[in-house]
Amino acid sequence: MKIFKYLGEYWYAVIAVLVLLVVQARSDLSLPSLTSNIVDVGIQQGGLEYSTPEKIRKTTLQGIKMFMTEDEKQTIEDNYKLTTETIDGKEVEVYKLNLQKNMTEEKLADIFNLPMLMLASSQAKDSSGASDTKKVLDAYTAISEDAEKARKLGAEAASLGEQAKAAGEAAAAAADMAEAAEKGAEAESLAAEAQAKAAQAQELADSIKEATAAMPTKVEAARKAIKESLGDLGDNSMRTVGIQLTLAEYKALDMDIQQIQTDYIMKTGYQMILLTLISAVAAIIVGLIASLVAAAVGRNLRVGQYERTLQFSNTEMEKFSPASLITRNTNDIQQMQMGIVMIMRMVLYAPILGIGGIYKVYKTGTGMGWIVGVAVVAVLVLVLTLLLFTMPKFKALQNLVDRVNLVSREIITGLPVIRAFSREKYEEARFDVANTNLMKTQLFVNRSMSIMMPVMMLMMNGISILIVWVGGHGMNNGQLQVGDMMAFITYTMQIIMAFMMLSMVSIILPRANVAAGRVEEVLETVPTIKDPEKPKDDHDFKGEVKFEGVQFRYGDADEDVLHHINFTAKPGQTTALIGSTGSGKSTIVNLIPRLFDVTGGRITIDGVDVRDMTLHKLHEIMGFVPQKGVLFSGDIASNIKFGDADISDEQMRKAAKTAQAEEFIDSNEKGYSREISQGGTNVSGGQKQRLSIARALAKNPKILIFDDSFSALDNKTDVALRKALSENIKEATQIIVAQKISTIIHADNIIVLNEGRIVDQGTHEELMQSSEVYQEIAQSQLSNAELGLEEAD
């Protein structure tokens, strides 16, 4: 799109905006997961993220260890330290968490989760997988019981051995033979019984050894069986049970589990507030940068378009109407500014948010990603449908704005004429047609946007219902947690919102792109009249103007309007051009300041072709008074000094006096400070012409061109003005276009034009003798007496 190229100059701002948008998107995308954590962890899990206990009783840990592998047992022993705590007045052995290097609570939780679940299921009556865990528990119980029996048998064997030893010692010490024999028999019997008890203890010891050796295999089989029974829900179930067991252990250790939950919720809440503030600050800064860049682009475009317009010749001005140029320099650039703001705030942000949202949805692992696909496809279908119907309207919209501006400008400018001819109703109807066409197009675009928003909301709500429906079944089956579903809904809405932003931009950007094309059309239009590469401005110009075989035709014309024009206007002399309407008088004088360029021949000033001079130098030595006097808003002084800001007040007054403007200037108490409204509407036509003449005289030019500039003057003022010019302007070359013979009757050289050709030239007296065309013009305006002719009989 054309509008994007205007951001290239501000690449550093675009990079800064991208960084800020990434920060904003990351903050926005982190909020749903934190909300999910508050529900799942803060509320449902009592504020525990992991099942890793900070403290655990020795007896509980021993029970959990029964379902661990040897490596896991070793890891646990390395990261816990045995201490003693007093609980309810009793000394209890407690293991406290003592994390080693490269170990985290999350890693330990992965070790704890399955054994904790197996311990809990072994104590449940109807838990799936309970039979496998109970077998392990029963095996450990049997080993424990056998060990106790073996211990007791060993103790009994040892006791009997001691008794046998005592009996033997008594037999040896007996003096009576019969008593010695009795004690010896008793010792033998006790020894035999002790040996039997020892044999039983050894048998149990061997059995325990064999059972203990088989336990890792049984534990692994039980672990595998319970994992298979859990299926896809394994991780969630193990984590949930592990956390519940940890909470129960904390309660048994008299820890404040309510405070643990509150602390977690508050910590997460603070994180959400911080992320919200970061997102808001990033959005504000992005908006500020976007506004600054858009304003800078708009300023540069307005300046560039204005400067290019000032370079345009009449040919280019005919291509672009004033109303269109005004629209391009105001409304079109405003549309571009809006487009740039939208690009930097939405077009760049939407993909970041959408891609980030899709990644987050993928990470939730809810299995509902297909819903996002359905939502995206639905939004794309809606946006493409809208664009298909609205794009043609965007291309016509700016042209309709041009039309409204054109009609408005014509009506406001021609208001006196409209009132004079009672054409108010007609002009109202003409404006109403242009305004209605614009209104209908704008209504179509606005209605398209109005339709889009409720349809988008309907889609969003429909998608939310679909997520709740599918997610509800998932929660019912234990496959999904409430917080995860909430996060999924939020991420999906963020993804849809990203596409909604693009769809909103898709309504605005095409119009901005059309506006950019219209602005570019002005900026890329190469003026047909431009300065030469090697100008000849260092000449000491006197002001002699010479036409040498000049021909000219307008760009779209089939034939020339001027044919081989040859004449010379010398300094200190007055050269006049006269002829019927359409004979080419104004065209000739417009060629001198290069408002147009000749298509044949050349025009020279002191022998230098005007095309070899810079426009600035050419206009610097020239004073031009157009047919229609144009004044600018300000005061009389600023208008007279318009040609050169360094003109002194004395020069200004002299020019006003020569132009016969001093009388009406001094008649107002404000004098030269009298305000001039836009276009000079608060002065009469004659006053406007005199001020225009004074403006040309004030800069003391070498060449003075009057393009029918005395038409609004009364005869008295006309005579006084011509007399003042002849007295005060003696060295300048004067070229006068006139309709009235009285204005040019004293000219040094009068050129008579007819249908673009010079038919005669000379003084008034010479032409009255030799030129039939001049005679016809003169006789139609002046009486024979005024012309010095005898009255006809």
Side-chain angles (χ1 to χ4, degrees), residues 374-402:
V374 171
V376 170
V377 170
V379 172
L380 286 176
V381 169
L382 175 63
V383 172
L384 291 175
T385 303
L386 284 173
L387 286 179
L388 183 65
F389 286 100
T390 56
M391 273 299 290
K393 298 295 182 181
F394 290 129
K395 295 178 180 178
L397 196 58
Q398 296 305 108
N399 291 330
L400 292 173
V401 173
D402 278 355

Side-chain angles (χ1 to χ4, degrees), residues 22-34 275 279 349 352-361 487 490-491 494-495:
V22 169
V23 172
Q24 181 185 352
R26 186 168 183 178
S27 300
D28 290 342
L29 291 170
S30 297
L31 291 173
S33 61
L34 291 175
L275 288 172
S279 177
Y349 183 59
I352 296 172
L353 185 64
I355 294 171
I358 292 171
Y359 174 72
K360 289 287 188 179
V361 164
T490 308
Y491 285 132
Q494 286 178 328
I495 294 169

Side-chain angles (χ1 to χ4, degrees), residues 479-713:
Q479 298 175 339
L480 192 66
Q481 290 184 304
V482 176
D484 288 338
M485 189 184 74
M486 291 174 60
F488 187 86
I489 291 175
T490 308
Y491 285 132
T492 304
M493 292 304 104
Q494 286 178 328
I495 294 169
I496 295 175
M497 282 298 296
F499 281 90
M500 281 184 65
M501 283 191 283
L502 287 177
S503 64
M504 290 174 62
V505 171
S506 68
I507 299 295
I508 297 171
L509 279 188
R511 185 176 180 183
N513 197 50
V514 170
R518 285 162 51 86
V519 171
E520 275 191 11
E521 188 180 4
V522 176
L523 295 175
E524 293 177 357
T525 297
V526 179
T528 54
I529 297 175
K530 50 190 175 182
D531 291 335
E533 294 182 3
K534 296 179 179 180
K536 300 177 180 179
D537 290 349
D538 55 353
H539 191 81
D540 183 18
F541 291 99
K542 302 297 182 182
E544 182 181 274
V545 179
K546 190 173 184 179
F547 278 64
E548 300 176 3
V550 170
Q551 296 179 206
F552 176 75
R553 74 168 61 186
Y554 291 100
D556 55 352
D558 295 327
E559 59 182 25
D560 292 341
V561 295
L562 294 179
H563 308 273
H564 303 287
I565 304 297
N566 293 278
F567 70 88
T568 301
K570 297 181 179 181
Q573 294 185 359
T574 299
T575 302
L577 300 171
I578 195 168
S580 60
T581 301
S583 60
K585 303 184 297 297
S586 293
T587 302
I588 287 176
V589 294
N590 284 336
L591 291 173
I592 300 172
R594 294 188 71 194
L595 299 180
F596 296 103
D597 261 346
V598 298
T599 54
R602 67 173 190 158
I603 301 171
T604 65
I605 297 177
D606 294 342
V608 178
D609 195 318
V610 294
R611 291 170 293 187
D612 293 332
M613 301 168 60
T614 62
L615 291 170
H616 176 76
K617 182 64 178 180
L618 177 63
H619 298 157
E620 186 180 52
I621 63 174
M622 190 177 300
F624 187 83
V625 186
Q627 272 184 331
K628 183 179 179 182
V630 178
L631 298 181
F632 300 92
S633 57
D635 55 22
I636 291 177
S638 66
N639 273 277
I640 295 178
K641 292 182 178 182
F642 186 81
D644 187 353
D646 295 328
I647 292 174
S648 65
D649 290 344
E650 184 180 350
Q651 285 178 271
M652 174 185 70
R653 292 188 180 91
K654 182 180 179 182
K657 184 177 181 180
T658 303
Q660 306 303 302
E662 191 175 46
E663 180 183 352
F664 79 84
I665 293 174
D666 291 339
S667 64
N668 189 287
E669 59 182 10
K670 291 186 177 180
Y672 288 90
S673 299
R674 177 186 174 184
E675 293 181 357
I676 299 294
S677 61
Q678 184 180 4
T681 55
N682 61 337
V683 293
S684 68
Q687 291 172 342
K688 189 185 297 185
Q689 277 196 345
R690 280 179 276 174
L691 288 175
S692 298
I693 294 169
R695 178 172 59 199
L697 296 174
K699 63 183 292 191
N700 194 24
K702 301 291 185 182
I703 302 168
L704 266 171
I705 299 174
F706 300 99
D707 185 5
D708 199 11
S709 307
F710 309 124
S711 57
L713 303 180

Side-chain angles (χ1 to χ4, degrees), residues 112-244:
F112 272 114
N113 286 337
L114 181 56
M116 284 181 168
L117 176 64
M118 294 175 72
L119 178 62
S121 64
S122 67
Q123 297 172 354
K125 294 180 179 180
D126 55 352
S127 175
S128 60
S131 58
D132 296 293
T133 55
K134 282 181 178 180
K135 287 177 183 179
V136 174
L137 186 60
D138 291 343
Y140 273 115
T141 302
I143 291 172
S144 179
E145 290 174 353
D146 288 345
E148 182 63 24
K149 288 179 183 179
R151 186 187 65 77
K152 288 180 178 180
L153 287 172
E156 289 176 3
S159 177
L160 289 172
E162 289 294 329
Q163 292 176 18
K165 181 180 179 183
E169 290 176 351
D176 187 0
M177 196 67 172
E179 184 182 354
E182 182 182 355
K183 291 294 182 182
E186 182 182 355
E188 184 178 354
S189 174
L190 288 170
E193 189 176 353
Q195 187 175 7
K197 293 285 185 182
Q200 289 179 9
Q202 183 62 45
E203 185 178 347
L204 284 173
D206 293 339
S207 175
I208 290 170
K209 184 177 180 181
E210 183 179 346
T212 302
M215 282 310 298
T217 303
K218 289 184 179 181
V219 170
E220 186 61 36
R223 287 164 64 101
K224 183 178 180 182
I226 201 165
K227 283 182 179 179
E228 290 177 353
S229 67
L230 292 172
D232 295 335
L233 307 178
D235 291 338
N236 287 336
S237 299
M238 288 188 291
R239 182 175 62 252
T240 301
V241 173
I243 288 172
Q244 294 303 319

